[in-house]
C-alpha cells in the first residue's frame, strides 16, 4: 500500500494549507491558491514509424493575494517550504507596489466540490494500436502524405483550488490528445503544410476519423494541382471547421474583460441584440459530458455552468469574469468560455457548395489579428475555388480581406455536417460579399 504522502489529495492539501497560512501571516486579507499535478504519456511518430514513448509529470502552484485592495499573483514549480516562503515574500512586494482597485476580490464561499472526468489511466495498448493502424492506413490510402509531426498522448491533470472564503474544489481529468502536421509530396511538387488535432476521452474509432484528419489528408493531396485565382472578385466564403476559430474567436474575444473594460469592444452596447446572422447559435459547454477539455469550476473560483452566447444571432451574454463584471457594472458570465459548439443547420455541405455561384472554401487563414472593429486581411491556405456550384481547383496563395463582424452578419447557410474536435464542434458556414484577390 502506498504511503499517504504519495496520494495527490494528501500532498496537495498539505502544500495548500501551508501556503494559505503563510499568506495569512504575511498580512494578505484575501487569498486564493491552486495546485495542479500533470501526468503525461506520449507516443511519437518519426519517419513513418512509432519511435518514442515518453512519460513526464509537472506540478504548478498558483498564489494570489489581496492587501489594501492591491493584488498580485504568481506561479512556482518548486513546492518546498523555502520556495513557498520566497514566493509569498515576492508576492507581498508585488502587491504593495501595484495600484489599488476596488474591483479586486475573491469568490464567495460555495459548497465543496470533487469532480472527475475521463479515463484515470492510459490504455497504452490502445494508443499504440491506434497509431500503428493509422500508419498502415496512410500507406495504403494516402501514399503521398509526408507526416512531419504526429503524436498521441494521454494527459491526466489533478487540480485543487482553495481560497480564504472557504472554497475548495478538486478535479481529476484524463483524456487523449492527437496532433498532426503534414503535407503531400510527389516527384514534381510539394504542397504547403497542414495541421490539425483532436482530444477525446476514448480511442473508440480509427485515428483518421477523429476531428478533420481525413478531410485534410485528401485536401493536401489535391493541392498538387493548385492554381491562382482567375481574377479578383467579390463572392461567397465557405468557412471550414478548421478555420472557424479565427471568426468565432473574434466575436468571443470581443466580449471578454479587456475590450469591455477598455470600452473598445464592437459589441459593448449590444447585449440582447442581434449581432450576427440569425443562422448562428453558439454555446459554451464546459459541463457537456462529451467535452474532454471541459471544466467544473472557473479560474477565479466559481462553479461553472453551460452558457448560450448567441441565440439565433442575438448576443445573450458577455464572457466577463467576476473582476470584469465589477469593473464594468455588467453581469458576470457563468463560465469562462471555451468548449464552443455552433449549432448545425439544415443543408448538407454538398448543397451549400452547389448553390455557390462563385466563392472560396477556406481551409486556413494566415495573417495578423483583426483590428478591434474587425477589419482584417490574410492569405487563404489549403483552400479551394468554387465556380457555378462546382469545386474547380485548389488555390495557391490568395488574399482575403473584409470585416469579421460583417462576415458573421452575412452568414446565409450553415451545414448540418459537423466536425467534432473534442474541444469544439463546428459546422461549415457560408458568408456572402467577401473580397478575394
Amino acid at each position: 500500500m502506498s504511503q499517504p504522502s504519495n496520494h495527490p489529495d494528501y500532498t496537495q492539501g498539505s502544500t495548500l494549507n501551508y501556503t494559505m497560512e503563510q499568506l495569512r501571516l504575511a498580512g494578505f486579507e484575501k487569498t486564493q491558491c491552486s495546485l495542479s499535478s500533470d501526468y503525461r504519456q506520449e507516443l511519437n511518430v518519426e519517419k513513418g514509424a512509432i519511435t518514442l514513448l515518453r512519460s513526464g509529470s509537472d506540478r504548478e502552484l498558483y498564489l494570489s493575494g489581496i492587501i489594501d485592495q492591491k493584488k498580485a499573483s504568481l506561479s512556482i514549480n518548486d513546492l518546498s517550504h523555502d520556495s513557498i516562503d520566497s514566493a509569498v515574500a515576492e508576492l507581498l512586494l508585488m502587491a504593495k507596489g501595484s495600484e489599488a482597485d476596488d474591483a479586486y476580490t475573491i469568490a464567495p464561499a460555495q459548497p465543496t466540490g470533487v469532480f472527475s472526468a475521463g479515463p484515470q489511466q492510459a490504455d497504452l495498448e490502445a494508443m499504440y494500436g491506434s497509431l500503428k493502424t493509422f500508419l498502415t492506413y496512410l500507406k495504403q490510402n494516402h501514399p503521398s502524405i509526408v507526416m512531419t509531426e504526429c503524436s498521441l498522448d494521454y494527459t491526466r491533470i489533478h487540480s485543487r483550488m482553495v481560497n480564504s472564503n472557504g472554497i475548495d474544489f478538486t478535479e481529476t481529468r484524463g483524456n487523449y490528445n492527437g496532433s498532426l502536421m503534414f503535407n503531400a509530396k510527389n516527384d514534381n511538387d510539394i504542397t504547403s503544410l497542414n495541421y490539425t488535432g483532436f482530444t477525446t476521452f476514448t480511442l473508440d474509432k480509427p485515428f483518421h476519423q477523429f476531428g478533420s484528419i481525413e478531410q485534410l489528408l485528401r485536401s493536401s493531396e489535391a493541392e498538387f494541382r493548385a492554381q491562382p485565382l482567375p481574377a479578383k472578385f467579390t463572392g461567397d466564403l465557405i468557412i471550414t471547421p478548421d478555420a472557424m476559430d479565427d471568426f468565432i474567436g473574434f466575436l468571443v474575444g470581443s466580449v471578454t474583460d479587456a475590450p469591455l473594460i477598455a470600452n473598445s469592444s464592437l459589441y459593448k452596447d449590444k447585449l440582447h441584440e442581434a449581432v450576427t446572422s440569425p443562422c448562428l447559435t453558439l454555446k459554451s459547454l464546459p459541463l457537456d459530458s462529451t467535452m474532454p477539455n471541459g471544466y467544473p469550476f472557473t479560474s477565479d473560483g466559481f462553479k461553472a455552468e453551460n452558457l448560450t452566447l448567441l441565440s439565433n444571432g442575438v448576443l445573450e451574454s458577455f464572457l466577463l469574469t467576476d473582476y470584469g463584471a465589477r469593473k464594468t457594472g455588467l453581469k458576470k458570465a457563468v463560465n469562462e468560455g471555451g468548449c464552443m459548439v455552433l449549432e448545425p443547420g439544415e443543408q448538407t455541405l454538398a448543397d451549400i457548395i452547389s448553390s455557390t455561384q462563385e466563392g472560396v472554401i477556406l481551409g486556413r487563414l494566415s495573417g495578423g489579428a483583426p483590428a478591434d472593429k474587425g477589419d482584417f486581411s490574410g492569405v487563404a491556405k489549403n483552400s479551394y475555388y468554387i465556380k457555378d456550384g462546382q469545386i474547380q481547383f485548389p488555390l495557391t496563395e490568395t488574399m482575403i480581406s473584409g470585416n469579421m463582424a460583417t462576415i458573421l452578419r452575412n452568414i446565409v447557410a450553415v451545414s448540418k455536417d459537423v466536425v467534432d474536435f473534442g474541444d469544439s464542434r463546428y459546422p461549415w458556414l457560408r458568408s456572402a460579399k467577401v473580397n478575394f484577390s
Side-chain angles (χ1 to χ4, degrees), residues 127-318:
M127 290 173 64
Y128 184 86
S130 180
L131 274 183
K132 183 178 179 180
T133 302
F134 176 58
L135 295 177
T136 301
Y137 175 83
L138 279 181
K139 290 178 182 178
Q140 294 175 348
N141 297 276
H142 301 284
S144 63
I145 292 294
V146 178
M147 195 62 59
T148 305
E149 295 179 11
C150 182
S151 66
L152 177 61
D153 74 69
Y154 166 80
T155 299
R156 183 180 68 243
I157 301 176
H158 184 85
S159 59
R160 186 176 179 186
M161 174 187 291
V162 298
N163 79 4
S164 53
N165 280 342
I167 70 162
D168 190 347
F169 297 145
T170 301
E171 184 195 28
T172 305
R173 180 174 291 264
N175 54 42
Y176 298 97
N177 305 279
S179 177
L180 305 89
M181 181 179 291
F182 54 89
N183 57 5
K185 184 178 181 180
N186 61 21
D187 293 338
N188 303 311
D189 203 0
I190 187 168
T191 67
S192 61
L193 282 173
N194 212 335
Y195 55 86
T196 189
F198 65 88
T199 181
T200 180
F201 280 140
T202 60
L203 298 171
D204 57 353
K205 58 185 176 182
F207 193 91
H208 67 277
Q209 292 181 10
F210 283 103
S212 60
I213 294 174
E214 178 62 25
Q215 295 100 310
L216 296 189
L217 291 172
R218 293 176 182 175
S219 176
S220 285
E221 290 177 319
E223 288 176 29
F224 287 131
R225 53 188 184 88
Q227 303 176 39
L229 275 179
K232 297 179 181 179
F233 73 95
T234 298
D236 289 354
L237 174 67
I238 296 179
I239 306 168
T240 66
D242 282 278
M244 195 65 64
D245 279 334
D246 287 311
F247 299 87
I248 296 302
F250 168 75
L251 187 149
V252 171
S254 297
V255 297
T256 55
D257 282 9
L260 288 170
I261 292 172
N263 204 33
S264 62
S265 171
L266 184 67
Y267 304 108
K268 64 184 188 310
D269 300 316
K270 301 297 184 181
L271 192 62
H272 304 308
E273 295 183 16
V275 296
T276 73
S277 161
C279 296
L280 298 185
T281 292
L282 177 66
K283 299 177 180 180
S284 172
L285 304 178
L287 301 186
D288 190 316
S289 62
T290 65
M291 280 287 180
N293 282 353
Y295 53 90
F297 51 89
T298 65
S299 59
D300 58 352
F302 292 84
K303 285 187 177 178
E305 300 176 27
N306 291 332
L307 172 149
T308 297
L309 194 66
L310 290 174
S311 178
N312 298 320
V314 174
L315 182 63
E316 297 290 356
S317 175
F318 293 131

Side-chain angles (χ1 to χ4, degrees), residues 252 283-286 291 293-295 319 335-341 423-424:
V252 171
K283 299 177 180 180
S284 172
L285 304 178
M291 280 287 180
N293 282 353
Y295 53 90
L319 280 175
N335 68 38
E336 52 192 6
C339 304
M340 290 296 178
V341 174
D423 57 358
S424 60

Side-chain angles (χ1 to χ4, degrees), residues 15-27 31 33 88:
T15 300
L16 288 170
N17 288 341
Y18 180 83
T19 305
M20 291 289 285
E21 178 63 11
Q22 297 312 302
L23 289 168
R24 185 189 68 81
L25 293 174
T31 58
C33 291
V88 170

